[in-house]
């Protein structure tokens, strides 16, 4: 057997370092100190900003200064080049009025509100890609073909595609989130000129209008899409042509449980979340008398409230419970290609082709690239940002147990990121 030359060893080592991130090791498991590549401070690879100017410690300090004393408790996680470089929890998860009082930890699991939509979009894109068609063709699949068989979708609804739901351009009407409401949405007209009495909101078909119903409808559609690829799911969704109330309730729970299972297995597991199989739409991983409480004010002497269980309510559009670190892991893993093809994430960032984002709210064009963002406002607030540009590979997630804060204002974090370069 021939001995490799020093040059061959160096080349092999470089490619292992360059592409090793896709091997599902422990990048997200522990913070790591920056490492030079092959001992050279001058060698840079795509996404490596270690030796450039971004200072994650300065960014972390600015985040803390912005939130200290403004919210009961918060946590943040910063990932750079696939490694956790800053993570902390501060403040209170429970005040004494909700005895036992408890501090807000760096791994606090709480409601991430509408940042759930980003996770739903990842899942939808991943399952659409498995159809084998180019993603642009799969996005044009009609949603009406992926709903309970006893639904009778209206002529207007039948034009709605996965792309329309993902980009909030469907114009479908939000009658509510119960199973009967979903059926009514599918069987009635959509908000366009052909409606006899068009509603002022949502906007007409094809126009961007952020509505939770789009992603709640996706909860149903992605499960039926998955059923075309998984016989076990298909078998469990067998229904009669005219089901009664009890049968509908069972079917709705079955659909929702499959949606949660898909989120766990298709998103959380490849994102290397340690307890991926426990992720839920209700408080998990902690006893009921210890879970995070949500407050309307700092140092509240009024009992806080719980977020509740949103599996068969807001799931798809909101209600997922994660920590800031877990949310950041998902964003970082998506960027690294661990969850799905990077081309699919790029398609989400490009949007529907008409300037409407998929899974994100929008992007800020700044001096260091584009900063893709999604905010969530529910019982508390959550936000995620994927800072993307030449030599820039940074992800941020923040959670807090008070709503109506700076957390939901993504421009704040974009500005602080720009201020964290030296």
């Amino acid at each position: 057997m021939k001995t490799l030359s020093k040059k061959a060893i160096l080349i092999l080592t470089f490619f292992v370092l360059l592409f090793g991130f896709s091997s599902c090791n422990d990048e997200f498991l522990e913070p790591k100190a920056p490492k030079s590549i092959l001992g050279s401070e001058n060698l840079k690879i795509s996404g490596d900003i270690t030796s450039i100017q971004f200072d994650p410690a300065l960014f972390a300090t600015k985040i803390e200064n912005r939130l200290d004393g403004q919210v009961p408790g918060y946590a943040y996680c910063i990932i750079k080049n696939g490694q956790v470089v800053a993570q902390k929890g501060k403040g209170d998860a429970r005040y004494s009025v909700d005895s036992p009082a408890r501090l807000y930890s760096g791994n606090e699991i709480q409601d991430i509100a509408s940042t759930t939509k980003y996770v739903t979009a990842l899942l939808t894109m991943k399952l659409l890609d498995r159809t084998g068609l180019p993603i642009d063709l799969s996005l044009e699949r009609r949603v009406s073909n992926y709903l309970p068989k006893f639904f009778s979708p209206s002529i207007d609804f039948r034009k709605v595609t996965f792309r329309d739901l993902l980009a909030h351009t469907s114009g479908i009407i939000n009658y509510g989130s119960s199973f009967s409401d979903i059926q009514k949405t599918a069987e009635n007209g959509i908000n366009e000129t052909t409606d006899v009495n068009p509603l002022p909101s949502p906007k007409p078909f094809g126009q961007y209008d952020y509505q939770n119903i789009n992603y709640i409808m996706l909860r149903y559609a992605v499960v039926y899409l998955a059923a075309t690829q998984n016989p076990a799911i298909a078998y469990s969704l067998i229904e009669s042509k005219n089901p009664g109330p009890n049968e509908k309730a069972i079917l709705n729970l079955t659909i929702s449980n499959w949606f949660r299972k898909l989120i766990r297995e298709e998103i959380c597991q490849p994102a290397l979340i340690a307890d991926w199989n426990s992720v839920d739409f209700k408080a998990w991983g902690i006893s009921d008398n210890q879970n995070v409480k949500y407050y309307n004010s700092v140092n509240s002497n009024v009992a806080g409230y719980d977020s509740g269980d949103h599996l068969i309510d807001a799931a798809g559009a909101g209600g997922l419970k994660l920590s800031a670190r877990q949310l950041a892991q998902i964003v970082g893993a998506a960027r690294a290609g661990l969850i799905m093809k990077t081309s699919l994430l790029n398609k989400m960032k490009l949007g529907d082709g008409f300037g409407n984002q998929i899974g994100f709210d929008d992007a800020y064009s700044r001096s260091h690239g584009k900063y893709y963002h999604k905010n969530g406002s529910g019982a508390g607030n959550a936000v995620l940002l994927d800072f993307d540009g030449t030599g820039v590979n940074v992800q941020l997630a923040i959670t807090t147990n008070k709503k109506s804060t700076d957390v939901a204002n993504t421009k704040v974090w974009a500005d602080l990121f720009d201020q964290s370069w030296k």
Side-chain angles (χ1 to χ4, degrees):
M1 182 176 179
K2 294 182 178 180
T3 303
L4 291 174
S5 67
K6 291 184 178 180
K7 180 178 181 182
I9 292 173
L10 285 175
I11 293 173
L12 178 61
T13 303
F14 173 78
F15 279 100
V16 168
L17 286 167
L18 180 60
F19 298 109
F21 184 62
S22 63
S23 61
C24 291
N25 47 34
D26 65 345
E27 276 82 358
F28 292 134
L29 300 184
E30 295 294 339
K32 298 180 181 179
K35 297 179 180 179
S36 60
I37 305 298
L38 301 180
S40 171
E41 296 299 332
N42 297 319
L43 181 60
K44 302 172 186 176
I45 62 174
S46 177
D48 180 17
I49 57 176
T50 299
S51 59
I52 308 178
Q53 296 172 319
F54 174 68
D55 186 343
L58 177 59
F59 192 28
T61 297
K62 289 182 178 296
I63 291 171
E64 293 180 31
N65 289 342
R66 187 76 186 210
L67 290 175
D68 283 348
Q70 302 303 307
V71 294
Y74 68 88
Y76 64 87
C77 180
I78 303 169
I79 289 177
K80 183 184 73 174
N81 298 339
Q83 298 179 1
V84 174
V85 291
Q87 175 193 359
K88 187 176 286 187
K90 297 184 73 174
D92 297 276
R94 298 170 67 100
Y95 286 133
S96 56
V97 68
D98 290 305
S99 181
R102 184 172 65 78
L103 297 179
Y104 198 104
S105 78
N107 293 303
E108 198 70 52
I109 295 169
Q110 71 154 74
D111 193 328
I112 64 168
S114 283
T115 56
T116 302
K117 293 182 178 70
Y118 171 82
V119 180
T120 300
L122 291 178
L123 176 62
T124 305
M125 296 291 285
K126 187 173 184 177
L127 295 181
L128 285 173
D129 183 58
R130 284 191 186 153
T131 64
L133 294 175
I135 191 61
D136 276 320
L137 290 179
S138 287
L139 282 167
E140 293 305 317
R141 287 175 178 262
R142 304 301 171 117
V143 174
S144 57
N145 294 324
Y146 301 93
L147 293 175
K149 303 306 179 186
F150 65 88
F151 282 17
S152 298
S154 67
I155 294 176
D156 284 338
F157 186 88
R158 288 176 188 171
K159 70 172 66 175
V160 175
T161 67
F162 278 93
R163 189 193 303 270
D164 294 321
L165 295 182
L166 286 164
H168 292 283
T169 57
S170 71
I172 60 175
I173 299 171
N174 189 356
Y175 292 105
S177 58
S178 71
F179 198 36
S180 59
D181 291 332
I182 299 302
Q183 184 176 357
K184 184 177 180 180
T185 293
E187 295 182 347
N188 282 270
I190 60 178
N191 197 55
E192 59 175 354
T193 56
T194 59
D195 285 350
V196 177
N197 296 301
L199 300 179
S201 182
K203 292 179 181 177
F205 178 80
Q207 292 187 24
Y208 179 84
D209 191 30
Y210 187 96
Q211 294 284 335
N212 283 338
I213 187 60
N214 289 299
Y215 277 70
I216 292 175
M217 187 66 72
L218 277 171
R219 174 171 92 236
Y220 295 86
V222 296
V223 170
Y224 277 87
L225 174 63
T228 66
Q229 306 162 7
N230 186 326
I233 300 178
Y235 180 79
S236 70
L237 297 177
I238 294 175
E239 70 230 30
S240 65
K241 294 182 179 179
N242 187 26
N246 188 55
E247 188 176 353
K248 287 183 178 180
I250 293 174
L251 178 61
N252 191 30
L253 182 58
T254 301
I255 293 169
S256 299
N257 281 333
W258 276 116
F259 180 76
R260 178 179 59 193
K261 184 175 176 64
L262 289 168
I263 290 292
R264 289 171 173 174
E265 295 179 353
E266 300 287 354
I267 307 299
C268 297
Q269 185 178 20
L272 307 181
I273 291 176
D275 299 321
W276 62 268
N277 204 32
S278 298
V279 171
D280 215 331
F281 287 84
K282 62 181 178 181
W284 62 274
I286 195 168
S287 60
D288 289 342
N289 69 340
Q290 290 286 325
N291 61 20
V292 65
K293 290 286 188 177
Y294 302 87
Y295 300 94
N296 293 323
S297 62
V298 179
N299 299 320
S300 176
N301 59 4
V302 177
Y305 48 94
D306 294 316
S307 173
D309 184 346
H310 296 293
L311 181 61
I312 58 174
D313 178 17
L320 190 61
K321 308 296 191 292
L322 292 171
S323 68
R325 173 159 178 159
Q326 290 164 342
L327 182 56
Q329 282 181 226
I330 290 175
V331 184
R335 178 75 176 271
L338 294 181
I339 293 176
M340 63 185 190
K341 299 173 184 174
T342 54
S343 60
L344 298 178
L345 179 62
N346 291 337
K347 172 62 67 174
M348 287 172 56
K349 290 180 175 180
L350 180 63
D352 67 347
F354 301 97
N356 306 305
Q357 294 293 320
I358 290 177
F360 297 97
D361 288 332
D362 209 339
Y364 300 113
S365 295
R366 298 290 186 86
S367 57
H368 300 292
K370 279 198 169 184
Y371 309 163
Y372 297 88
H373 55 89
K374 181 78 192 79
N375 74 48
S377 181
N381 279 151
V383 67
L384 64 85
L385 289 99
D386 186 357
F387 300 96
D388 192 352
T390 302
V392 180
N393 184 352
V394 177
Q395 293 79 44
L396 167 70
I398 305 174
T399 59
T400 183
N401 55 343
K402 177 181 179 295
K403 60 183 178 181
S404 301
T405 68
D406 270 351
V407 174
N409 185 353
T410 54
K411 185 178 181 298
V412 169
W413 314 115
D415 289 342
L416 294 187
F417 179 76
D418 283 342
Q419 297 166 20
S420 300
W421 290 66
K422 290 184 177 180

